Amino acid sequence: MRIAVPHSLGLTEARRRIRAGSDEVVGMVPAFAQVSTAWPSENRMDLTVGIMGKALTGQIEVSEREVAFTFEIPEALAFVEPLIRGQVEAKGRKLLG
């Protein structure tokens, strides 16, 4: 699943906001889940979420005109996709607005 949130902030400001709001991004995940994050490059944050015995992996890619949230969702957790999409779109707009 890929969710692109457009912005007009420019790369540097969008990256700053995503980095500053990374705790808020992690806060979208239910409290009982385990979350790990890493920044393998200055414009990409990797996420791993352990929930219900399954692992969801994802990335946040910051670019000049959009921030793309990409998640690999196991088939067993496909029912949560609309929930994740709604949360990510709302929080992404808030962080970049």
Side-chain angles (χ1 to χ4, degrees), residues 33-45:
Q34 295 178 343
V35 181
S36 65
T37 62
W39 285 89
S41 71
E42 70 177 355
N43 296 327
R44 187 176 110 200
M45 182 172 93

Side-chain angles (χ1 to χ4, degrees), residues 44-81:
R44 187 176 110 200
M45 182 172 93
D46 290 346
L47 297 151
T48 303
V49 180
I51 186 168
M52 297 173 57
K54 303 289 181 187
L56 292 119
T57 58
Q59 298 83 38
I60 299 173
E61 293 271 353
V62 182
S63 67
E64 189 70 33
R65 298 186 188 267
E66 73 177 17
V67 174
F69 299 82
T70 306
F71 299 97
E72 298 296 325
I73 300 174
E75 194 172 313
L77 295 175
F79 67 94
V80 300
E81 185 174 328

